[in-house]
Amino acid sequence: MIVLVFVMVCGVYICSICLKQINTSTNTGLLTVQMIEKPCPEPTIEQWEIPYVHYPKPKTYSRAECACNPVRNFAILSMQRSGSGWFETLLNNHTNISSNGEIFSVKVRRSNISTIVETLDTIYNLDWFSSASKNECTAAVGLKWMLNQGLMQHHEEIVEYFKTRGVAAIFLFRRNLLRRMISVLANSYDRDAKPLNGTHKSHVHSPHEAEILAKYKPKINATLLIANLKQVEETTAKALEYFKSTRHIILYYEDVVKNRTKLIDVQDLLKVPRKDLKSRQVKIHKGSLSSQIENWDDVQKTLKGTPYESFLHADYRRRRRRRRR
């Protein structure tokens, strides 16, 4: 009996030791399966450029092989009817650039600085999906932001955000503010009249559609003309003053149209491979201003002798000189 009890006790002891060993080996096996995330190698860039390089980790998907592909943030800051839509299509023609459109045209997204920051975080973390999203590795991500969409109202907080997140501001304005005014009035008319089969189109992709929209000739309030032009100038100057401490580039629509090397400057700013960028958009208002304004004589008399007189014939002087030659 004594021997039997001894054998039973030893058996229980040995079994308990075996169970502990099995648990230990199982835990060890589980630990070895865990993946260790390797840090991305430092890009070969200068020290001052480090704050502008990011490695986003989207919450909604994995960047996989693009995880260590650096991304730079940007924002196109402009005013309505200044060529920003056309300019953005050029950027989105690049396989490595994603510009997500006029996101803050939706009022709720710009209702306060908290919602603005939350939206910007989503965009720059590559969690914002739009038609601009790329299958290729994204190297630059941004949006189009009009000055009257909360940008000026919360400029101090946004400037600080741009500096903290390394956002490059791409200013795009129009030199000839009179032509911009024509575009604004024509677009407002189209929004109500909808001459293109009952649909409103801010931008068109065929000469036929452009010809239909160009038939409308707005009548400009000559009494308020100079005051309106001056107000746009002041808003532009104020925006440049607010954001002068950020990393930025200033472009004008007319310069981009005439000199496509301006697009190379933008690509160099965003550190993406240089490409010949194209857009499907077709220009609506072409030719001399006299053929585009209903009360041309009144406008001409109002601007003659003022600092804005050059707007009456600008954009076409160079073309006329070439013809004479």
Side-chain angles (χ1 to χ4, degrees):
M1 289 295 292
I2 294 173
V3 173
L4 183 59
V5 172
F6 178 76
V7 171
M8 291 175 64
V9 171
C10 289
V12 172
Y13 177 73
I14 291 170
C15 288
S16 65
I17 291 176
C18 289
L19 288 173
K20 287 182 179 179
Q21 289 179 346
I22 291 171
N23 288 336
T24 304
S25 61
T26 304
N27 292 337
T28 305
L30 290 173
L31 288 173
T32 55
V33 173
Q34 292 180 354
M35 297 294 292
I36 299 175
E37 187 175 347
K38 295 181 180 179
C40 293
E42 288 295 327
T44 56
I45 60 175
E46 296 184 22
Q47 190 72 21
W48 66 269
E49 217 177 348
I50 292 178
Y52 304 104
V53 176
H54 309 280
Y55 296 94
K57 296 180 180 179
K59 298 177 182 178
T60 50
Y61 69 98
S62 171
R63 294 190 71 204
E65 69 275 8
C66 298
C68 286
N69 189 68
V71 178
R72 288 171 170 79
N73 302 332
F74 69 89
I76 304 169
L77 309 185
S78 186
M79 303 179 77
Q80 282 82 358
R81 314 310 296 176
S82 296
S84 59
W86 168 73
F87 178 76
E88 188 177 43
T89 60
L90 289 171
L91 293 190
N92 278 325
N93 186 238
H94 198 292
T95 54
N96 303 115
I97 301 178
S98 293
S99 188
N100 293 281
E102 204 169 316
I103 290 175
F104 290 109
S105 61
V106 179
K107 290 184 179 180
V108 68
R109 295 174 187 158
R110 64 176 194 262
S111 57
N112 55 64
I113 190 60
S114 297
T115 57
I116 290 176
V117 170
E118 183 180 351
T119 303
L120 291 175
D121 284 344
T122 303
I123 295 167
Y124 295 131
N125 200 48
L126 300 182
D127 280 315
W128 193 278
F129 297 105
S130 71
S131 59
S133 301
K134 297 294 191 296
N135 292 325
E136 301 288 336
C137 287
T138 298
V141 62
L143 71 155
K144 186 173 65 168
W145 202 345
M146 301 296 103
L147 300 187
N148 63 347
Q149 294 174 351
L151 189 69
M152 303 291 279
Q153 182 182 354
H154 303 284
H155 66 90
E156 292 182 358
E157 296 91 340
I158 295 170
V159 165
E160 188 60 33
Y161 181 93
F162 278 17
K163 290 180 179 179
T164 304
R165 293 297 300 268
V167 180
I170 303 175
F171 286 102
L172 179 68
F173 297 120
R174 197 156 184 169
R175 291 189 185 279
N176 194 325
L177 301 182
L178 182 59
R179 287 187 177 274
R180 175 186 174 272
M181 180 179 291
I182 293 171
S183 184
V184 170
L185 294 173
N187 187 61
S188 179
Y189 167 80
D190 178 71
R191 190 180 291 110
D192 297 327
K194 299 181 177 63
L196 291 176
N197 298 323
T199 59
H200 167 59
K201 289 188 176 182
S202 297
H203 310 287
V204 296
H205 299 99
S206 73
H208 175 66
E209 292 178 324
E211 185 179 352
I212 293 175
L213 295 183
K215 288 180 179 179
Y216 172 71
K217 297 181 180 181
K219 184 176 182 179
I220 295 177
N221 188 330
T223 306
L224 300 176
L225 178 56
I226 292 180
N228 290 336
L229 294 175
K230 187 175 182 180
Q231 183 182 12
V232 174
E233 274 188 338
E234 291 174 349
T235 302
T236 301
K238 193 178 292 184
L240 293 174
E241 178 65 23
Y242 286 162
F243 288 84
K244 67 179 181 181
S245 61
T246 64
R247 189 185 190 193
H248 64 272
I249 183 173
I250 303 173
L251 301 174
Y252 289 93
Y253 167 77
E254 291 85 352
D255 297 341
V256 179
V257 170
K258 294 176 183 177
N259 184 2
R260 299 305 285 270
T261 60
K262 295 293 181 181
L263 292 175
I264 294 178
D265 296 339
V266 176
Q267 294 178 72
D268 289 345
L269 175 72
L270 301 178
K271 302 298 180 184
V272 295
R274 293 181 177 181
K275 294 183 180 295
D276 182 22
L277 305 180
K278 299 178 181 179
S279 172
R280 292 177 55 241
Q281 283 192 16
V282 177
K283 187 175 177 63
I284 297 174
H285 298 98
K286 298 182 291 185
S288 63
L289 283 173
S290 59
S291 63
Q292 300 176 34
I293 301 175
E294 182 181 339
N295 57 332
W296 169 248
D297 291 337
D298 294 337
V299 171
Q300 195 173 25
K301 290 177 183 178
T302 302
L303 297 185
K304 193 171 183 179
T306 71
Y308 307 112
E309 183 178 0
S310 61
F311 292 165
L312 296 171
H313 307 288
D315 297 349
Y316 294 94
R317 287 180 178 176
R318 183 178 297 182
R319 195 174 297 176
R320 286 175 179 172
R321 287 173 183 170
R322 286 178 180 173
R323 286 175 181 173
R324 288 172 184 173
R325 290 175 184 174

